[in-house]
Amino acid sequence: MNNSKETKRVTDYDMQQLIGQVLRYGVLISGLVAIIGGIWYLFQQGSGLPDYGTFHGEGEGYTSLPGIIKGLGQGSAKEIIQLGVVILIATPILRIVFSLVAFGMERDKLYVLITLIVLSIILFSTFGGLSI
Amino acid sequence: MTILTFTLILLLGAYLAGLAGSLTGLGGGVVIIPLLTLFFHVDIRYAIGAALIASIATSSGSASAYVKEGITNIRLGMFLEIATTAGAVLGAILAIYTPVNIVAILFGATLIFSAAMTMRKKHEGALAEGSQLSYLLKLNSSYPTKDGIIDYKLKNIGGGFSIMTLAGILSGLLGIGSGALKVLAMDSAMRVPFRVSTTTSNFMVGVTAAASAVVYLQRGYIDPGIAFPVIIGVLAGAFTGSKLLMKIDVKWLKVIFSFAITAIALNMIYNGFNHKF
């Protein structure tokens, strides 16, 4: 494709393969974790009654990463599922991080900047105290 | 109804949502939200959390294949994600101040729009001459078809960017991928060829949904008991759909699905006006 410049080692093709793999494995791992947590959850509470008619919001344990990790340590099924959810949400974000690295290796300054803007918006919503 | 029954029905519903979504191009959220609210009478806020999860699963699952084939325009997606993520964060903030019945009415209206968009004829041809900005931002590209590689150029970047911001706001507010609006922005405004606009839209949905999902997760909208059957069902459905897509003609499926979606949407709007949420 790019015969004139042999120094250009990373191409758009490499980036496509890399991003494709990130998305595929992210989804697979997230699905597996959700299955494990889900089966355990049904085993423990399957005969209970669901109560979703009114919204109370989930407790600390399911809404923050420290809370989820703490629950995992106690072997809680719901926290295992939430870990799967976090992996699922992290997959597209990780895809942006990998694109950032790939654009950097391609020395495409404009797209390094554009990718950084997208990443900062997402990080802002993650850590910017939007959990009012 | 026990949790086990609830889970099994939801698993089946999510499977059908993923299947229909990947066959018709309408995201998983459009089925998940009505199923949870109208059928199970789940609070719409839990439904929004579940729909976001469904959107990310469908998008990441199917995007991986299209990206590898080189159909998706990664630069275009990345550039437009500035608009969609900023919009999604704004929408997720707006959601706190929006009454749930207004959310239901808006959701119904968006569903009808999405159904109509599925039926619309898309632009197939590629532009030979792009706007100045399209060269500056390196958005012009090429994609593989049966007849070889086709080059295409884009125009009206600003118009597309504005529609994308709106798509992002709706996505954050309603918990859907708003793929129909994304396709509209690329297809009608920027003249991206059909195959490229649908796959690039799909590629962007995951990031847009993730931007608002982190906010919703922290706000307690995502319940593990609802999330796990949704993730597993939607992924399995989308996988089956992508295999089936090669073998069946989806033209009639799109018509039937669009009518079903419109009926559900009218029901949601009616309930919204009667404050039944």
Side-chain angles (χ1 to χ4, degrees):
Chain A
M1 300 243 199
N2 207 330
N3 301 323
S4 56
K5 276 189 194 171
E6 276 187 46
T7 45
K8 192 177 173 183
R9 273 162 291 174
V10 177
T11 62
D12 278 8
Y13 177 79
D14 298 326
M15 176 154 47
Q16 284 159 6
Q17 303 308 307
L18 178 71
I19 291 176
Q21 293 291 0
V22 170
L23 293 175
R24 178 162 299 167
Y25 284 112
V27 178
L28 279 177
I29 295 169
S30 148
L32 278 177
V33 174
I35 288 176
I36 294 168
I39 291 173
W40 196 345
Y41 165 74
L42 285 181
F43 193 68
Q44 288 177 337
Q45 309 187 17
S47 54
L49 296 172
D51 171 30
Y52 300 119
T54 47
F55 181 75
H56 355 259
E58 300 306 315
E60 186 71 16
Y62 314 135
T63 56
S64 68
L65 206 51
I68 292 173
I69 291 168
K70 192 167 159 240
L72 283 177
Q74 295 157 352
S76 162
K78 282 192 171 182
E79 267 90 345
I80 298 176
I81 299 173
Q82 285 308 69
L83 179 71
V85 170
V86 170
I87 295 172
L88 187 70
I89 298 176
T91 301
I93 303 176
L94 204 61
R95 184 266 274 175
I96 299 177
V97 175
F98 275 92
S99 320
L100 181 68
V101 176
F103 282 130
M105 288 167 93
E106 280 190 36
R107 300 190 198 288
D108 189 335
K109 281 183 195 149
L110 177 65
Y111 272 84
V112 167
L113 180 70
I114 287 173
T115 311
L116 272 176
I117 296 173
V118 176
L119 195 59
S120 0
I121 295 171
I122 292 198
L123 292 181
F124 166 76
S125 77
T126 315
F127 302 109
L130 284 175
S131 55
I132 303 164
Chain B
M1 180 171 47
T2 63
I3 288 180
L4 184 64
T5 327
F6 172 80
T7 305
L8 291 177
I9 302 175
L10 186 55
L11 192 65
L12 181 69
Y15 178 79
L16 294 175
L19 186 66
S22 70
L23 288 177
T24 60
L26 288 160
V30 303
V31 179
I32 294 290
I33 291 186
L35 175 73
L36 285 172
T37 56
L38 299 176
F39 184 71
F40 284 118
H41 302 289
V42 165
D43 188 284
I44 196 164
R45 281 161 285 201
Y46 286 128
I48 288 175
L52 279 170
I53 295 300
S55 301
I56 301 175
T58 330
S59 161
S60 303
S62 50
S64 66
Y66 299 133
V67 171
K68 285 182 149 192
E69 286 166 37
I71 306 169
T72 313
N73 187 332
I74 294 182
R75 282 192 170 73
L76 177 64
M78 196 57 84
F79 170 67
L80 292 174
E81 272 162 15
I82 296 177
T84 61
T85 50
V89 174
L90 190 64
I93 295 170
L94 278 177
I96 308 175
Y97 306 103
T98 314
V100 284
N101 65 309
I102 303 288
V103 171
I105 295 167
L106 271 176
F107 181 77
T110 311
L111 275 190
I112 295 174
F113 168 77
S114 306
M117 282 290 295
T118 320
M119 315 293 291
R120 202 181 52 106
K121 193 151 172 52
K122 316 284 194 304
H123 291 109
E124 194 74 61
L127 279 189
E129 205 50 51
S131 68
Q132 220 172 355
L133 203 55
S134 76
Y135 290 100
L136 204 67
L137 290 166
K138 293 183 259 186
L139 298 177
N140 303 315
S141 185
S142 59
Y143 72 111
T145 65
K146 273 177 237 156
D147 316 314
I149 305 277
I150 293 186
D151 289 311
Y152 59 90
K153 308 265 191 300
L154 310 183
K155 61 168 203 172
N156 197 4
I157 310 298
F161 196 84
S162 323
I163 304 175
M164 282 297 172
T165 313
L166 183 65
I169 294 175
L170 278 180
S171 172
L173 188 61
L174 307 177
I176 50 172
S178 55
L181 257 177
K182 289 191 173 81
V183 171
L184 180 76
M186 283 188 269
D187 181 78
S188 296
M190 304 167 78
R191 289 303 172 88
V192 182
F194 170 60
R195 288 268 286 158
V196 181
S197 61
T198 44
T199 52
T200 307
S201 151
N202 198 328
F203 178 66
M204 296 171 60
V205 163
V207 168
T208 316
S212 39
V214 284
V215 180
Y216 281 107
L217 179 77
Q218 291 169 350
R219 242 187 253 155
Y221 278 45
I222 299 176
D223 183 275
I226 299 177
F228 92 87
V230 166
I231 296 179
I232 300 164
V234 163
L235 282 179
F239 179 75
T240 318
S242 65
K243 297 277 167 205
L244 276 177
L245 198 57
M246 311 289 171
K247 292 175 196 145
I248 58 173
D249 183 17
V250 291
K251 203 174 143 216
W252 279 102
L253 194 71
K254 279 188 181 176
V255 176
I256 296 164
F257 197 59
S258 297
F259 274 107
I261 291 284
T262 308
I264 292 169
L266 291 173
N267 195 347
M268 287 203 76
I269 293 172
Y270 176 81
N271 283 343
F273 277 115
N274 286 304
H275 293 268
K276 281 200 187 142
F277 280 97

